[in-house]
Amino acid sequence: MITLLDGPVGSQLHARGVPTPAPAWSAWAVQHKPDAIGILHREYAEAGATVHTTATFRTRPDAVGVDWPMLAQRAVALARAYVEQQIVAKLDDALKAATAKTKSEIVFKKA
């Protein structure tokens, strides 16, 4: 079995024009641009990643203050939600393909 890891989070956010100001860096995006974080996770899942890291690198009291637990939980929730969306989409596509194949086999057998 091959295990595929996702890629960088902060670097990709920066490359996509999402602000990552110090000292919060990617934790800023968790709070202000959560969809950007989620889309990145979904794209890694689409590419086949099976291990996903979260944007919790700077969700610490010294970087984001008292909001750190909420931001850490949100970062994990974003990763889970967007990766699960991709998994459900893949399963849905597979089910549609299997259903279409079954329907075509039934039509062919009747003819």
Side-chain angles (χ1 to χ4, degrees):
M1 179 165 119
I2 296 174
T3 301
L4 296 176
L5 306 177
D6 66 358
V9 175
S11 300
Q12 278 298 310
L13 291 172
H14 181 73
R16 295 166 187 227
V18 177
T20 54
W25 297 353
S26 59
W28 184 93
V30 170
Q31 186 168 18
H32 300 283
K33 298 284 185 181
D35 285 341
I37 298 273
I39 289 166
L40 184 57
H41 284 298
R42 185 172 60 222
E43 289 174 357
Y44 283 135
E46 287 171 356
T50 56
V51 176
H52 298 266
T53 56
T54 59
T56 56
F57 176 65
R58 296 295 285 194
T59 54
R60 303 186 321 239
D62 62 321
V64 294
V66 297
D67 290 337
W68 76 267
M70 179 270 301
L71 291 172
Q73 290 171 353
R74 184 181 291 174
V76 171
L78 285 167
R80 285 183 174 159
Y82 279 79
V83 169
E84 286 173 4
Q85 284 178 5
Q86 179 56 27
I87 291 168
V88 168
K90 283 182 179 179
L91 291 173
D92 190 44
D93 289 346
L95 180 60
K96 286 177 185 175
T99 302
K101 182 179 178 183
T102 302
K103 284 180 181 178
S104 69
E105 289 173 354
I106 292 169
V107 171
F108 181 72
K109 287 178 183 177
K110 286 183 179 180

